[in-house]
Amino acid sequence: MKAIGHKTCSLCSSSRLFSSSVQWISPLHYQSRNSPRPDAPIERDGTSEQVPRKHKYISHESAVNLIKQEKDARRALEIFNKVSDQKGFNHNNSTYAVLLHRLAVCKKFETVDAIIHQMKYETCKFHEGIFTNLMKHYSKSSLHEKVLEMFDAILPIVREKPSLNAISTCLNLLVEAKQIELAKEFLLNVQKHLDLKPNTCIFNILVKYHCRKGDVEAAFVVVEEMRKSRVSHPNLITYSTLMDGLCRCGRLQDALDLFEKMLAKDQIPPDALTYNILINAFYRAGKVDRARNIIGFMRKNGCQPNIVNYTALMNGFCKEGRVGDAKEVFHEMKGVGLKPDVVGYTTLINSFCRAGKVDEGIELLEEMKDKGCKADDVTIKIILGGLCRASRLSEAFDMLERLPYDGVHLSKESYRIVLNFLCKEGELEKAMDLLGLMLARRFVPHFATSNELIVQLCEAGKAADAALALFGLLEMSFKPEPRTWSMLIDVICRERKLLPAFQLLDELVLQ
C-alpha cells in the first residue's frame, strides 16, 4: 500500500483530515497562552574576527586548569593529547588524575581503561588517590567488579602496596553497596596478600559489614577483637553502627542497653546521629512519643538537636497520621533557629496532602519559595498527587504548565501522575491538552496510559482526537498495542473516513 503524504504525519497535518472537538496544538509548536515566556538568552559582545595569538608553552598547571574547565570528555582528552605534543612535555600524576576524573564523571569508562593501560608504561610517580577516586565513580555506576579492578591496579602502577586508606575505601564502598560476597572475597585477598593489620576505620567497616548481613553477633565478635588490638578501640562510630544493627533487627532494648554501656563504660558522648538512630527506632516500633522525649534528653545532655533529628521525629508523627503533632515539631524546629531543608518541608507537605489538607501543603510550598528552599521533584509529585486525589485536576494541570518557567525541573513521573488521573476520571479533553504539553517538552506518557487514552477516546466516539494523539505519539517512537490500532481503525471505518484509515494502516506497516 502506498503511503499518502509524508511518512511522519504530524498532529497538525492530521488535524486537516478530521473535524476534532479539541483544538489541537502541535507539540512541536506548543506555547502556553497564559504563562510568561522565558527571557531570550543574552548575547555576548564580540567580533567575528579573532586576532591570531602566538602559541605559548602550556605547563602542567595550565593543562590541569584547562582540562578542569572542559566539561566535554572528548575535548578534555584532546587537550590532554595536544599538550603532550609539546617538546619536552611529559604528563604527570596531576594531569592524569584530572583527565581520569573528567572521563569518569562523563562515564567514559572504556577510555578510562585505555588510559590506565597507558599509565603502566609511564615513568612518572603516581599516587593511589587516582584509584580511590575512580573506585567511587565505579561504585556510583554500580560497576562493583571495576571497584576491585581499580584497587588491584594500585600496586603495579603506583608501585607501592595499597595503604589502609585505600583498603578501607574499597571495603566501605562494597559494604555500602551491599555487595557482601565481593566484600568477603576482597577481605580474604587482602589478608592473604597484603598482611592486613586493621585499624579502627577498617574494624568499623567490618562491624558495618556484619550488621548489613543481619549478623549482629558476628559484629560484636569484631568489637571484642578490636578491644584486644593494640592499635584500635571502639569509638562512637562503632557503637552507633552496632545500635543501628540491633534496632534494624527489632532489638530496641538491647540497643538502649548498649547506649548506656557506651556512656558508662567507655564514656563516649553520643552525637546527633547516634540519637537519630534511637528516634527512628522508636517511631518504627510505634513509640513516637518516646522518640519525642529524646529531643528533650539531647538538650539536657548538651547535644543540640539538628534538622535531621526533627525531620525524623516529624516523619514518625506523619506515619501515624498525627499531622498536628508533626506541624508542632516543624514550628518548634523553626523556633530554635533551625532552617528547614527540602526534606523537612516535603515530609510535612506529604503529611498534609495525605490528610486531604492540600491547601496547607501548597502554603508550605510557597513558603519554601519565599525562604529560598528550592522544591525538588519529590515535593512537586506529592502536591500533584494531593490535588488529583482532591479532584482539583485543573489546578494540577496549571501547575505542570507553569512550574518550568519558575525554574522547577519536572520529571516525566510528574506529568504521568496527572495524566493517569485525567484518564481515570474520563477528563479526555484535558488529557489531550496535557498530552500536547508533554510531547512539546519531549516527555512520553507511560506505555499503558498512552494506549488507555487512545482506547478511551475511541470508546467515546472521538476518533479524530484519538488519531491526533496517536500520530503525535508515533513521532516520539511510541508503538501502540495491536488492540489499540485495531480499535482506532475500526472506529474510523465505521465513520466512513477511509483516507485516514489508509494512512493509519501505512503507519502500521512502517512501524
Side-chain angles (χ1 to χ4, degrees), residues 239-258:
Y239 276 105
S240 297
T241 306
L242 283 171
M243 287 166 57
D244 186 54
L246 288 167
C247 290
R248 290 181 183 279
C249 293
R251 296 167 60 180
L252 179 54
Q253 187 56 53
D254 289 337
L256 291 172
D257 292 341
L258 185 63

Side-chain angles (χ1 to χ4, degrees), residues 344-370:
Y345 274 113
T346 302
T347 299
L348 192 54
I349 289 171
N350 184 48
S351 183
F352 282 137
C353 290
R354 289 292 175 186
K357 300 179 179 180
V358 186
D359 288 322
E360 292 191 56
I362 293 174
E363 285 178 15
L364 277 180
L365 186 65
E366 291 300 318
E367 181 181 313
M368 289 178 71
K369 185 178 178 181
D370 294 340

Side-chain angles (χ1 to χ4, degrees), residues 494-507:
R494 276 194 273 112
E495 293 185 6
R496 302 194 178 202
K497 294 178 178 177
L498 297 180
L499 181 61
F502 290 150
Q503 283 193 300
L504 284 172
L505 287 169
D506 282 337
E507 287 290 343

